[in-house]
Amino acid sequence: MTTIIDGKVFAARVRGQVQAHVARLREEHAITPGLAVVLVGEDPASQVYVRNKHASTVEVGMASFEHRLAADTGEADLLALVRRLNADPAVHGILVQLPLPGHLNAELIINTIDPAKDVDGFHISNVGLLGTGQKSMVPCTPLGCLMMLRDHHGSLSGMNAVVVGRSNIVGKPMAQLLLGDSCTVTIAHSRTKDLAAVCRAADILVAAVGRAEMITGDFVKPGATVIDVGINRVERDGKTRLVGDVEFASAAAVAGAITPVPGGVGPMTIACLLANTLTACCRANGLAEPEGLTA
Ligand code: GUN
């Protein structure tokens, strides 16, 4: 029997843990964790994400600070806002929604965020800390994948993990996290020779390539755990559907466990953003970090 790893249930559990910890912080220390989200421009998908982040933040009892700026906002003004948020003691987490309009230097802006408040884990200091196995802020999507893998397997030590995709947001940090949990890690990508054979060696297969249903059942070792990070919109039978990077039916027939799309990794990303904000708040106040919600 293949286990379908239910990201909606898991994310609800994580949000519940965050909510309980936030309530304790308020009662015992009179502290409310705060998350600031900055959106520049009117990209429709980004507007939906930002709305969902705001609703989830408020739902777990945190303070949400939304900053919506015009698409033609200058770099100096955006940097000034980031510096103001860095200095604001009520703000424990800062997220600048990507993509930014083309005239803004995303790297410069991300690297201006105080690394301790960088709840996306994109700041170059956090990337370096993660790469050297030190305490850091960890990107939300890979953190969510790690939590699901640990929950399913307990220890990941000694397992063969293959990550397909080498992005800074998912592939590379995912590989670092799996290495941190003592997996033997391979990073594969679009130029990898005989990708199917490389993937078939994996006990843990993480698909983060951004190509609809590219990973089929013949890429999967019998009994392997398959984590599908992809969210791709495809037209099928005259309707728009969401599919992952994994062809679910053929992969599920071979896998031991698999995350569906939608309802797998996706819901974990915002839950981990809340977890990271809580972690940042605890660290800023010299308090114990929430258990099970960090790498
Ligand atoms: N845009 C899409 N996903 C993300 C994310 O995880 N963080 C940020 N900052 N922007 C995004």
Side-chain angles (χ1 to χ4, degrees):
M1 261 297 284
T2 307
T3 303
I4 310 295
I5 301 176
D6 190 331
K8 277 189 283 194
V9 169
F10 203 99
R13 201 164 93 203
V14 170
R15 287 198 306 274
Q17 286 171 273
V18 171
Q19 186 169 24
H21 204 109
V22 167
R24 273 205 307 281
L25 280 182
R26 180 170 301 126
E27 281 160 27
E28 294 170 15
H29 302 280
I31 293 168
T32 302
L35 172 65
V37 174
V38 180
L39 173 63
V40 184
E42 272 105 48
D43 177 68
S46 291
Q47 285 181 325
V48 173
Y49 286 138
V50 168
R51 215 169 29 246
N52 289 342
K53 282 168 189 165
H54 170 77
S56 304
T57 306
V58 171
E59 201 181 298
V60 296
M62 292 184 183
S64 171
F65 307 99
E66 253 186 49
H67 295 268
R68 290 171 181 262
L69 308 181
D72 62 356
T73 297
E75 197 160 270
D77 288 341
L78 181 53
L79 288 171
L81 171 60
V82 169
R83 292 196 181 102
R84 236 180 17 253
L85 297 172
N86 283 347
D88 186 341
V91 172
H92 303 96
I94 301 169
L95 181 147
V96 177
Q97 185 69 28
L98 301 175
L100 285 168
H103 67 284
L104 297 169
N105 179 343
E107 278 181 6
L108 171 67
I109 288 148
I110 298 300
N111 288 328
T112 301
I113 297 172
D114 177 350
K117 297 189 179 189
D118 167 38
V119 283
D120 263 328
F122 295 166
H123 190 290
I124 190 68
S125 295
N126 282 314
V127 175
L129 289 167
L130 177 62
T132 49
Q134 300 178 71
K135 192 183 272 193
S136 66
M137 296 307 302
V138 174
C140 301
T141 300
L143 178 59
C145 296
L146 183 74
M147 284 183 189
M148 292 197 285
L149 284 167
R150 283 178 175 169
D151 182 72
H152 184 71
H153 287 285
S155 169
L156 309 181
S157 181
M159 297 179 84
N160 279 330
V162 174
V163 179
V164 190
R166 51 179 158 177
S167 72
N168 292 334
I169 293 179
V170 182
K172 287 180 201 161
M174 186 76 249
Q176 297 286 5
L177 289 171
L178 291 164
L179 200 54
D181 271 26
S182 300
C183 291
T184 303
V185 182
T186 303
I187 304 179
H189 46 79
S190 56
R191 303 281 177 90
T192 297
K193 287 192 181 134
D194 202 352
L195 182 61
V198 172
C199 291
R200 269 198 306 274
D203 303 309
I204 293 168
L205 180 59
V206 181
V209 260
R211 283 186 52 193
E213 298 179 323
M214 190 189 130
I215 307 290
T216 52
D218 56 327
F219 287 56
V220 179
K221 175 174 164 176
T225 299
V226 179
I227 304 289
D228 189 354
V229 181
I231 301 176
N232 309 288
R233 282 182 171 74
V234 295
E235 295 297 322
R236 203 159 287 165
D237 309 325
K239 288 187 192 143
T240 305
R241 292 186 187 280
L242 280 188
V243 299
D245 292 349
V246 176
E247 189 186 66
F248 184 81
S250 65
V254 186
I258 186 166
T259 60
V261 176
V265 173
M268 287 299 287
T269 299
I270 289 186
C272 287
L273 173 66
L274 302 174
N276 276 350
T277 304
L278 173 60
T279 299
C281 176
C282 291
R283 287 180 186 168
N285 288 283
L287 299 168
E289 292 175 18
E291 255 177 60
L293 298 178
T294 57

